[in-house]
Amino acid sequence: MPDYLDDLRLAHVLADAADAATTARFKALDLKVETKPDMTPVSEADKAAEEIIRGQLQRARPRDAILGEEYGVEGTGPRRWVIDPIDGTKNYVRGVPVWATLISLMEAGEGGYHPVVGVVSAPALGRRWWAAKGHGAFTGRSLTTATRIHVSRVAELADASFAYSSLSGWEEQGRLNGFLDLTREVWRTRAYGDFWPYMMVAEGSVDLCAEPELSLWDMAATAIIVTEAGGTFTGLDGRPGPHSGNAAASNGLLHEELLGYLNQRY
């Protein structure tokens, strides 16, 4: 089996370059922000970071395809880099430090593409997380100053911490009652949002998290990190991986209960 460590090292280099671009414009008074057709914001920093990552990938991995949130798909083949230049753009443009660059390598296999490398870099928080298939999940400032991470062993909902993004998406999908029932059963809830809950599941400080609507670039990197940390990452339909347009992540011990509540419709 490939070890993917060269690809992981490259992903760190890409993240370093993106961090430099995004932190330079964070809280800039003249930051340019536009509204995309789906009514979500995009800043000049989103575009610049993705352009930098694409440029480096074209030089370092010219045969690999690239899928990015801002510029779509480029190239074909069994390997595809998936990029979210700033996950948490709404936070970024308001000066909230909870945002990150998400970089993943996906490889074609049975049933489609599957993430084999993931890096989540949150420079305003001073945090970075990463994983490569078969090598575990880690956090730290660099590959040489890393701590291995693992999901929690909490086995009862009454003892579990559940993180989410917002209420509106659950209501729009008719899942709000089940969602609220879950919040009543768990020990603690917090709406951290975006990439952060998945990283907290991976490092064991949160036990459950879910979002009702996501894109592949929101999930590819977080999925491999959660699973390499010993957790479970699926869609709300239970399909493993980042393929369902939504996500549920857990320490694995509570996953079936998580899905049971979030799939209640009444």
Side-chain angles (χ1 to χ4, degrees):
M1 184 180 75
D3 65 18
Y4 303 109
L5 293 181
D6 283 343
D7 295 308
L8 178 61
R9 283 187 281 269
L10 174 59
H12 276 272
V13 171
L14 300 174
D16 289 342
D19 285 356
T22 53
T23 54
R25 298 299 291 154
F26 185 48
K27 296 187 177 181
L29 297 178
D30 60 343
L31 181 72
K32 295 183 177 65
V33 182
E34 303 169 3
T35 301
K36 294 191 286 190
D38 63 1
M39 302 308 294
T40 60
V42 58
S43 74
E44 63 182 82
D46 291 80
K47 294 180 177 179
E50 184 166 325
E51 288 168 356
I52 288 167
I53 293 170
R54 283 177 177 270
Q56 293 202 13
L57 281 173
Q58 286 162 357
R59 291 189 293 274
R61 296 288 190 276
R63 295 185 179 182
D64 292 352
I66 305 171
L67 169 64
E69 179 177 10
E70 307 308 334
Y71 295 107
V73 179
E74 180 180 357
T76 59
R79 290 164 44 100
R80 176 183 291 177
W81 294 85
V82 180
I83 305 158
D84 189 344
I86 299 179
D87 183 56
T89 298
K90 292 177 182 177
N91 284 342
Y92 184 89
V93 302
R94 289 295 304 271
V96 178
V98 183
W99 50 270
T101 295
L102 278 52
I103 300 168
S104 178
L105 173 63
M106 301 188 74
E107 196 166 70
E110 185 177 351
Y113 285 86
H114 304 283
V116 294
V117 167
V119 172
V120 172
S121 189
L125 295 176
R127 298 295 309 275
R128 184 177 290 187
W129 302 262
W130 62 88
K133 185 177 179 180
H135 290 276
F138 296 84
T139 187
R141 294 299 182 96
S142 69
L143 283 166
T144 56
T145 56
T147 301
R148 189 159 188 170
I149 56 177
H150 199 280
V151 296
S152 75
R153 303 193 186 279
V154 173
E156 301 291 337
L157 279 182
D159 300 322
S161 180
F162 171 52
Y164 61 98
S165 54
S166 67
L167 296 179
S168 58
W170 301 105
E171 186 171 31
E172 289 166 6
Q173 292 192 8
R175 300 178 189 264
L176 183 59
N177 287 332
F179 173 90
L180 293 175
D181 285 347
L182 174 61
T183 67
R184 296 182 185 108
E185 293 297 321
V186 298
W187 167 63
R188 193 167 189 258
T189 63
R190 285 294 184 270
Y192 299 109
D194 300 307
F195 67 94
W196 206 8
Y198 303 95
M199 299 301 94
M200 287 191 278
V201 167
E203 60 189 16
S205 53
V206 164
D207 311 298
L208 310 161
C209 69
E211 288 181 271
E213 187 175 4
L214 292 169
S215 297
L216 179 60
W217 46 76
D218 298 313
M219 299 183 282
T222 59
I224 182 70
I225 295 171
V226 168
T227 54
E228 284 293 320
T232 301
F233 190 108
T234 72
L236 297 177
D237 58 4
R239 181 184 179 192
H243 307 291
S244 302
N246 45 49
S250 76
N251 63 6
L253 300 175
L254 300 168
H255 206 77
E256 291 305 315
E257 290 179 275
L258 172 64
L259 294 180
Y261 277 98
L262 297 180
N263 282 305
Q264 292 178 20
R265 295 174 183 266
Y266 54 87

